[in-house]
Amino acid sequence: MAQCADGRCAIIGPEMLDTSREQTPAPTEEPRGCLFALSQPPLMIFLSVIGLLLLMASVHDLFLL
């Protein structure tokens, strides 16, 4: 099957159209929730930096202005 648009043609074979899987994925034992997300180091570093910036801004507002 060929699809042409604006003078460009692409041939799509049947192996490219097959999106079925041979095996179904294994079900997870437990759904992962908020506590799993908070245990990830990059997220905790990001939240710590945001918290530190908020703390610095509040200290600046309270004591220096």
Side-chain angles (χ1 to χ4, degrees):
M1 172 168 55
Q3 296 176 348
C4 295
D6 299 331
R8 296 179 295 199
C9 292
I11 298 174
I12 300 174
E15 66 275 356
M16 296 174 71
L17 297 175
D18 185 20
T19 58
S20 64
R21 297 181 181 182
E22 287 81 21
Q23 297 176 354
T24 58
T28 57
E29 292 83 18
E30 296 179 7
R32 294 180 175 174
C34 184
L35 291 178
F36 175 77
L38 287 178
S39 68
Q40 303 303 310
L43 178 63
M44 290 308 297
I45 292 170
F46 172 74
L47 293 176
S48 299
V49 168
I50 298 299
L52 180 64
L53 290 174
L54 288 172
L55 179 66
M56 288 172 45
S58 63
V59 167
H60 176 267
D61 287 348
L62 286 174
F63 295 117
L64 298 176
L65 290 180

